């Protein structure tokens, strides 16, 4: 029997978490957020003391747990809770709190919705559990339901809750006023579904950001985090160290790097591949944080496959912040799993202490101050997926660093433009765009999206010093001319080979491997675990010149972010911007004179699914111009003209795709309603961009083992990403390639947390990746014959 407010529980299981402890844990997180997101105070859309109201929301958000039957659930005693929602019983206490009505309205909404989407809350709980207001008592269905007002009066420990709030938090409460919660929820839903909630509403961002902040506090408080890290001036010490080392070698930062470190506000930087754009970004970031203060940093790359290398680099002592705890990667649906878990686990009575400790660590990987991501992890927030309010809150006052922004399809580029417009206009986001190969017509789209900006280009002198490649066009297919590559390998040359498809890369690698002292294959059809291993091997080979990786075969996965330096490249044909990125991995340090870059002119039949034949044709013509004018020497300062010749403007089809997506998303975002989420799953969202992640069937046993241990990151790292059209092809074949399966983490009295995933019945090799032409014969070890 609960006799004191100090006995009221907030969580079940061990350790014993009381309501006061949980509130204090959440208040601690709020104090961290206030330091981490100072720009919230400077948003034009916030009209009240934001952090003060957030603290009030935290104190009130779980007061409804003081329901006798809910306490019985948490203590494992018999109960008559009947599937109700504790957050609804928090609302009457707001009515007994003296506060301006506009702020009480916000409190009601964010507290009512802090666990369940309003649609679900209304349909699954309010409608099913409680009688309608002014209902007919003779209605049999109505008589079976509960009376919310009576439930509150009969079961909620009002006296003890008042003692808790007044003694511990010094708020004076009048008597609570219990009202049927249906009206609050349905009124809001009606406005949302009829398009009456708009981004231009006076209280729109107040509600959205207050809700996002409360959810962060509740989740991170439930994880019992005791600190949230920020980037501090000392974290940029590696830049000073680099500059001193350069000065000792009679050098210094390049002029564009120094200039980037002096700019305030948005920046577009154009410089050759290998000219220190990452350092430029860190110098720019250091300046912005000095002038504008804290904000989360998003380092945005076009390909998932390049994230690991940049994560390692930015967390290293020599070239980054020197603290891996401050650099994070967002792993697929990790946040989704964790949010589901913390939303529901107070309803379970068998939560184990050691699991909570593990989850705390995993939450830290999400809440790092600098994240290396693809743009899709930001874009998903514009589509109203579950958790979008937390995502948008985290963008306030943040810094976006886009690396190679040219590398996106027209549909994705349109969405990025909407994101940039929204983030800079409403959330005080500052943007840096870095590129070596940005067509002028794409640059104009970025300029209109970010508003005022400064443009920096590398100096003519630097461009002249980057003459390091000589184009040699080759007839035929790369795969038919491996003898030339074998000869280079036999001479001891470090060779990079780039193919356009995974299957081609696997075949070429297998043929060339016997001729190399050490070799690595890198492409998108590895799972995260093995891709990380291959990248580490590659990095170690770059650092140990006595035992280098002599042969690297890859796909476009090597185009961005890998800090490697090879002697020669053999590549299949691709558009000029992709090829320039590939060339950037040859003679990167510019100490080998002029190195040959061999480009084969004939495409494989499957390449045209990846690259436009017209763009490849124009690229070959541009290279013929380079051969004619400069004997094949790539003059970096002439590249912009050639890029604009290959990409003079949108082609008609691409422009139609761009405009269609841009105007649709812009209209959709203007009516995005907080607390009402899209029915679309995160998995469905990612399908349109990165493809679909599948689990090789041979790894299923390990996958289930990781999920059973709540190790979502390692479980996700076993999956392989495949393109949409490849997925569709496999799904249509008759050999049971793909199966959709599900794993239930923990069944609760309520909804279980179910993780659905696809398995693929193809062989997986840690060295070669997913082998589409080989079926895996696999027997489920759990089946006893």
């Amino acid at each position: 029997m609960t006799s004191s407010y100090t006995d009221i529980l907030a969580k079940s299981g061990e350790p014993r978490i009381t309501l006061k402890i949980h509130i204090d844990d959440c208040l601690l997180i709020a104090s961290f957020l206030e330091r981490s997101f100072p720009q919230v105070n400077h948003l034009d859309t916030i009209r009240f003391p934001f952090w003060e109201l957030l603290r009030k929301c935290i104190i009130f958000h779980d007061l409804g747990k003081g329901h006798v039957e809910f306490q019985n659930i948490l203590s494992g005693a018999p109960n008559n809770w009947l599937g109700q929602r504790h957050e609804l019983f928090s609302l009457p206490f707001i009515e007994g709190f003296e506060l301006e009505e506009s702020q009480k309205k916000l409190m009601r909404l964010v507290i009512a919705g802090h666990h369940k989407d309003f649609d679900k809350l209304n349909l699954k709980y309010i409608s099913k559990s409680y009688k309608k207001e002014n209902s007919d008592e003779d209605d049999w269905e109505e008589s079976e339901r509960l009376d919310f007002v009576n439930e509150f009066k009969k079961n909620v420990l009002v006296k003890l809750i008042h003692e808790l709030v007044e003694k511990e938090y010094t708020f004076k409460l009048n008597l609570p006023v219990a009202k049927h919660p249906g009206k609050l929820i349905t009124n809001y839903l009606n406005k949302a579904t009829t398009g009456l909630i708009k981004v231009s509403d006076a209280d729109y961002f107040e509600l959205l950001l207050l809700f996002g902040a409360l959810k962060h506090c509740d989740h991170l408080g439930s994880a019992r985090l005791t600190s949230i890290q920020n980037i501090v001036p000392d974290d940029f010490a590696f830049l000073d160290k680099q500059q001193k080392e350069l000065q000792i070698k009679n050098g210094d930062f390049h002029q564009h790097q120094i200039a980037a470190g002096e700019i305030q506000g948005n920046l577009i930087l154009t410089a050759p591949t290998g000219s220190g754009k990452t350092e430029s970004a860190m110098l720019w970031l250091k300046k912005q944080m000095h002038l504008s203060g804290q904000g989360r940093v998003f380092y945005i790359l076009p390909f998932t496959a390049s994230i690991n290398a940049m994560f390692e680099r930015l967390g290293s002592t020599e070239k980054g912040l020197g603290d891996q705890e401050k650099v994070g990667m967002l792993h697929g649906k990790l946040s989704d799993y964790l949010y589901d878990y913390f939303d529901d686990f107070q309803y379970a009575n068998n939560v184990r202490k050691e699991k909570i400790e593990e989850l705390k660590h995993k939450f830290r990987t999400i809440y790092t101050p600098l994240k290396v991501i693809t743009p899709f992890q930001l874009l998903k927030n514009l589509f109203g997926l579950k958790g979008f309010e937390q995502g948008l809150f985290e963008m306030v006052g943040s810094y976006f660093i886009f690396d190679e922004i040219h590398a996106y399809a027209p549909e994705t580029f349109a969405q990025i433009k909407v994101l940039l417009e929204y983030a800079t206009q409403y959330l005080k986001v500052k943007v840096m765009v870095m590129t070596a190969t940005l067509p002028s017509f794409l640059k104009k789209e970025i300029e209109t999206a970010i508003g005022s900006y400064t443009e920096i280009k590398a100096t003519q002198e630097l461009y002249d010093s980057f003459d390091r490649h000589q184009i040699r066009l080759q007839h035929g297919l790369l795969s038919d001319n491996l003898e030339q590559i074998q000869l280079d390998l036999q001479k001891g040359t470090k060779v990079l080979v780039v193919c356009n498809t995974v299957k081609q890369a696997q075949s070429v690698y297998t043929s060339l491997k016997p001729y190399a002292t050490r070799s690595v294959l890198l492409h998108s059809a590895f799972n995260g675990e093995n891709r990380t291993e291959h990248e580490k091997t590659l990095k170690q080979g770059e650092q140990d010149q006595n035992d280098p990786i002599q042969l690297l075969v890859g796909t476009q996965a090597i185009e961005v972010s890998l800090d490697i330096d090879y002697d020669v490249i053999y590549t299949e044909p691709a558009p000029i911007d992709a090829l320039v990125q590939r060339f950037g991995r040859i003679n990167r340090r510019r100490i080998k004179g002029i190195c040959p870059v061999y480009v084969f002119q004939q495409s494989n039949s499957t390449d045209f699914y990846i690259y436009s034949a017209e763009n490849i044709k124009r690229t070959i013509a541009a290279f013929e111009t380079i051969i004619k004018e400069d004997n094949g020497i790539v003059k970096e300062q002439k590249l912009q003209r050639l890029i604009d010749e290959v990409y003079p403007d949108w082609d008609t089809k691409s422009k139609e795709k761009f405009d269609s997506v841009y105007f649709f998303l812009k209209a959709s975002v203007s009516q995005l309603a907080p607390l009402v989420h899209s029915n679309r799953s995160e998995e469905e969202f990612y399908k349109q961009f990165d493809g679909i992640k599948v689990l090789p069937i041979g790894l299923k046993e390990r996958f289930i083992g990781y999920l059973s241990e709540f190790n979502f990151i390692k479980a996700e790292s076993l999956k392989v990403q495949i393109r949409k059209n490849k997925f569709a092809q496999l799904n249509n074949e008759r050999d049971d390639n793909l199966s959709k399966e599900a794993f239930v983490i923990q069944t609760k009295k309520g909804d279980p947390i179910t993780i659905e995933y696809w398995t693929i019945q193809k062989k997986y090799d840690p060295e070669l990746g997913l082998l589409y032409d080989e079926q895996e014969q696999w027997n489920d070890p759990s089946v006893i014959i």
Side-chain angles (χ1 to χ4, degrees):
M1 182 69 182
T2 304
S3 58
S4 167
Y5 70 78
T6 58
D7 296 324
I8 299 175
L9 294 174
K11 310 289 179 186
S12 61
E14 293 295 334
R16 184 175 181 271
I17 305 295
T18 67
L19 183 54
K20 180 186 180 303
I21 289 173
H22 176 58
I23 291 172
D24 289 345
D25 286 341
C26 294
L27 288 172
L28 179 63
I29 299 298
S31 68
F32 296 145
L33 295 187
E34 186 171 6
R35 291 197 290 271
S36 301
F37 296 91
Q39 291 298 326
V40 170
N41 288 325
H42 303 294
L43 294 177
D44 297 334
T45 50
I46 305 296
R47 301 166 298 170
F48 57 81
F50 181 87
W51 301 106
E52 184 181 322
L53 187 58
L54 175 62
R55 292 184 185 95
K56 290 169 183 170
C57 289
I58 289 169
I59 292 165
F60 280 78
H61 82 292
D62 272 356
L63 296 184
K65 289 182 175 179
H67 190 294
V68 171
E69 300 300 343
F70 189 74
Q71 289 298 299
N72 287 337
I73 282 187
L74 298 185
S75 60
N79 68 85
N80 289 308
W81 179 239
L82 303 175
Q84 301 180 80
R85 294 300 311 179
H86 71 268
E87 56 267 33
L88 298 178
F89 290 104
S90 299
L91 299 177
F93 292 103
I94 299 173
E95 305 310 318
F97 185 40
E98 292 185 4
L99 187 67
E100 182 186 333
E101 177 57 28
S102 62
Q103 295 185 30
K104 286 172 77 168
K105 174 188 172 185
L106 293 171
M107 286 184 69
R108 292 185 197 104
L109 291 171
V110 301
I111 289 173
H114 84 271
H115 281 302
K116 296 295 179 185
D117 176 275
F118 269 13
D119 278 322
K120 288 182 181 176
L121 188 62
N122 187 47
L123 291 173
K124 288 190 68 175
Y125 298 98
I126 296 175
S127 297
K128 289 186 177 181
S129 296
Y130 305 122
K131 296 177 181 178
K132 297 174 183 175
E133 289 184 281
N134 306 315
S135 64
D136 182 357
E137 291 293 338
D138 294 330
D139 186 326
W140 180 83
E141 283 192 8
E142 285 293 290
S143 66
E144 290 295 300
R145 298 189 179 105
L146 302 170
D147 183 297
F148 179 82
V149 175
N150 288 340
E151 273 292 302
F152 181 88
K153 291 178 179 178
K154 183 173 66 174
N155 290 301
V156 177
L157 303 167
V158 172
K159 182 179 178 182
L160 296 184
I161 295 296
H162 274 224
E163 287 180 12
L164 169 67
V165 174
E166 292 176 0
K167 290 184 179 180
E168 298 294 341
Y169 307 109
T170 65
F171 286 139
K172 174 69 176 147
L173 294 182
N174 298 319
L175 287 175
V177 180
K179 299 177 182 178
H180 191 288
K183 187 175 182 180
L184 172 71
I185 307 302
T186 55
N187 282 352
Y188 185 84
L189 281 173
N190 288 337
K191 288 178 65 178
T193 55
T194 55
L196 295 178
I197 294 175
K198 298 180 180 179
V199 72
S200 56
D201 293 346
D203 61 353
Y204 180 89
F205 282 99
E206 294 173 344
L207 176 62
L208 184 147
L209 298 178
L210 190 65
F211 182 77
L214 178 63
K215 291 283 280 185
H216 277 309
C217 291
D218 194 27
H219 288 149
L220 299 176
S222 294
R224 307 218 67 203
L225 261 66
T226 55
S227 65
I228 292 178
Q229 297 207 55
N230 289 325
I231 294 174
V232 297
D234 287 349
D235 291 326
F236 295 103
F238 74 97
L239 293 169
D240 296 329
K241 182 181 176 184
Q242 280 190 15
Q243 191 167 27
K244 287 177 183 176
E245 290 175 353
L246 285 168
Q247 288 171 344
I248 290 171
K249 298 173 185 176
N250 298 318
D252 200 348
F253 281 133
H254 297 309
Q255 188 59 45
H256 67 268
Q257 294 175 307
I258 296 170
E262 296 172 350
I263 294 300
Q264 179 177 3
N266 301 326
L267 172 63
I268 297 177
L269 170 65
T270 305
T273 302
S275 64
K277 290 195 289 294
T278 303
E279 286 78 12
S280 301
M282 293 298 103
L283 287 161
W284 173 81
L285 178 62
K286 179 182 179 182
K287 182 69 170 182
Q288 305 319 301
M289 286 198 154
H290 174 70
L291 295 171
S292 303
Q294 284 299 320
R296 273 12 205 175
V297 183
F298 299 95
Y299 199 106
I300 304 158
L301 295 166
F303 307 122
T304 303
S306 55
I307 282 180
N308 284 332
M310 186 57 71
F311 167 76
E312 292 285 341
R313 179 176 183 178
L314 292 176
S316 70
T317 303
E318 300 80 20
K319 296 183 178 182
L321 305 183
D323 187 349
Q324 292 286 3
E325 292 291 314
K326 292 193 176 185
V327 182
M329 295 183 288
L330 294 188
H331 293 264
K333 294 178 68 182
L334 170 63
S335 58
D336 220 14
Y337 298 153
L338 290 173
Y339 291 153
D340 275 349
Y341 185 83
F342 281 112
D343 272 347
D344 285 342
F345 89 87
Q346 62 261 20
Y347 287 86
N349 55 25
N350 61 340
V351 178
R352 290 161 289 174
K353 180 179 180 180
E354 64 271 17
K355 293 305 176 191
I356 299 300
E357 291 302 312
E358 290 176 23
L359 288 167
K360 282 166 61 176
H361 175 72
K362 291 171 178 57
F363 246 115
R364 287 193 190 98
T365 68
I366 289 179
Y367 222 73
T368 50
L370 191 158
K371 295 183 184 66
V372 186
I373 60 171
T374 62
F376 314 118
Q377 290 154 321
L378 296 174
L379 286 170
K380 69 180 183 182
N381 297 311
L382 300 186
F383 286 80
L385 272 62
K386 181 175 62 178
F388 80 88
E389 300 94 343
Q390 293 103 298
L392 292 177
F393 174 84
E394 201 176 350
M395 289 186 205
V396 175
S398 67
Y399 304 98
F400 289 0
I401 299 170
F402 276 91
D403 198 349
E404 303 308 335
I405 200 170
H406 69 279
Y408 300 103
E411 300 94 324
T412 304
F413 198 87
Q415 292 175 354
I416 290 173
K417 183 178 180 182
V418 176
L419 172 69
L420 290 174
E421 289 174 343
Y422 185 96
T424 54
Q425 180 178 353
Y426 298 119
L427 303 178
K428 286 190 175 291
V429 171
K430 290 186 173 62
V431 181
M432 179 177 183
V433 173
M434 306 184 295
T435 185
T437 54
L438 184 64
S440 295
F441 76 94
L442 291 181
K443 180 165 168 271
K444 289 176 184 176
E445 300 288 356
I446 295 169
E447 291 170 354
T448 59
I450 63 177
S452 61
Y453 72 98
T454 301
E455 183 172 7
I456 294 175
K457 292 183 178 179
T459 63
Q460 185 68 44
E461 181 184 5
L462 182 68
Y463 274 117
D464 290 342
S465 73
F466 266 72
D467 292 351
R468 49 186 168 159
H469 304 133
Q470 184 180 42
I471 293 172
R472 299 184 184 178
L473 291 175
Q474 306 290 293
H475 295 294
L477 292 168
L478 182 151
S479 56
D480 291 338
N481 292 274
L482 299 184
E483 297 85 356
Q484 185 178 350
I485 304 174
Q486 292 166 6
L487 289 173
D488 267 345
L489 290 170
Q490 289 169 344
K491 293 177 195 173
T493 307
K494 278 182 71 178
V495 178
L496 171 62
V497 181
V498 185
C499 302
N500 291 334
T501 64
V502 169
K503 187 174 179 179
Q504 190 71 7
Q506 290 169 330
S507 173
V508 168
Y509 174 81
T510 303
S511 298
L512 294 177
K513 181 185 174 185
Y515 298 90
T517 53
R518 292 183 73 201
S519 56
V520 166
L521 176 64
L522 200 62
H523 54 64
S524 61
F526 283 108
N527 64 24
E529 179 181 77
N530 295 134
R531 186 171 62 237
T532 300
E533 291 172 358
H534 286 218
E535 288 178 354
K536 283 183 177 178
T537 300
L538 201 56
K539 182 179 178 182
Q540 290 164 359
E542 288 296 297
Q543 294 171 343
D544 184 359
Q545 294 305 309
N546 295 319
D547 192 22
I549 302 299
Q550 189 194 4
L551 170 66
L552 171 60
V553 179
T555 58
Q556 66 177 8
I558 63 94
E559 289 175 16
V560 178
S561 300
L562 287 180
D563 190 10
I564 54 176
D565 192 354
Y566 278 72
D567 301 332
V568 63
I569 184 175
Y570 292 88
T571 176
E572 293 185 324
I576 188 170
D577 51 331
L579 290 175
V580 168
Q581 291 299 320
R582 296 175 189 183
F583 297 168
R585 273 64 200 164
I586 304 301
N587 195 12
R588 190 172 180 85
R589 315 275 186 261
R590 294 175 293 140
I591 58 175
K592 301 174 183 177
I594 302 294
C595 290
V597 292
Y598 293 95
V599 179
F600 286 86
Q601 298 181 66
Q602 186 175 341
S603 298
N604 294 292
S605 59
T606 56
D607 287 358
F608 298 115
Y609 293 108
I610 303 170
Y611 298 122
S612 158
E614 185 60 33
N615 286 342
I616 290 177
K617 181 180 177 181
R618 286 199 289 254
T619 296
I620 298 299
F623 286 171
E624 288 172 341
T625 299
I626 292 173
I627 292 170
K628 181 179 179 181
E629 293 181 356
D630 298 299
N631 194 30
I633 305 296
V634 179
K635 299 287 186 182
E636 294 275 344
Q637 77 273 18
K638 293 184 178 181
L639 276 178
Q640 187 64 54
R641 173 175 62 83
L642 295 172
I643 287 166
D644 287 337
E645 287 178 5
V646 174
Y647 297 103
D649 203 342
W650 294 106
D651 60 74
T652 303
K653 188 175 180 181
S654 294
K655 181 60 172 172
E656 287 174 356
K657 289 179 180 178
F658 176 88
D659 287 343
S660 174
V661 171
Y662 173 78
F663 290 112
F664 170 80
L665 183 57
K666 194 163 180 67
S668 176
V669 167
S670 71
Q671 296 185 341
L672 199 62
L675 291 84
V676 179
H677 302 147
S678 167
N679 292 325
R680 193 180 192 188
S681 71
E682 195 162 323
E683 180 183 6
E684 289 173 320
F685 170 79
Y686 280 115
K687 280 181 186 177
Q688 66 179 317
F689 303 113
D690 283 351
I692 300 159
K693 284 191 173 183
V694 297
L695 177 73
I697 194 70
L699 302 177
K700 181 177 175 179
E701 191 173 358
R702 287 180 62 201
F703 181 77
I704 296 299
Y706 286 141
L707 289 183
S708 301
E709 297 168 358
F710 292 76
N711 202 330
F712 305 122
I713 292 177
K714 283 195 173 181
E716 282 289 296
S717 76
L718 296 181
K719 292 181 181 177
V720 178
Q721 191 166 279
I722 62 177
R723 298 193 315 274
K724 286 182 295 182
N725 56 355
K726 188 67 176 178
F727 181 90
Q729 175 196 332
L730 291 167
N731 213 16
N732 289 332
E733 292 175 358
R734 294 185 177 181
D735 52 4
D736 297 323
N737 286 316
L738 296 163
S739 299
K740 193 161 193 178
E741 304 191 31
F743 178 78
V744 180
I745 291 183
Q746 184 177 1
T747 303
K748 302 174 177 63
K749 189 170 183 179
D751 293 334
I753 296 178
T754 302
I755 296 177
E756 295 183 338
Y757 60 97
W758 286 96
T759 57
I760 185 167
Q761 199 91 12
K762 298 291 183 183
K763 281 192 176 179
Y764 181 83
D765 184 287
E767 183 182 13
L768 298 176
L770 193 64
L771 301 169
Y772 289 111
D773 293 338
E774 298 185 38
Q775 293 294 113
E776 178 70 271
Q777 300 303 317
W778 186 79
N779 295 314
D780 190 336
S782 65
V783 176
I784 300 175
I785 299 174

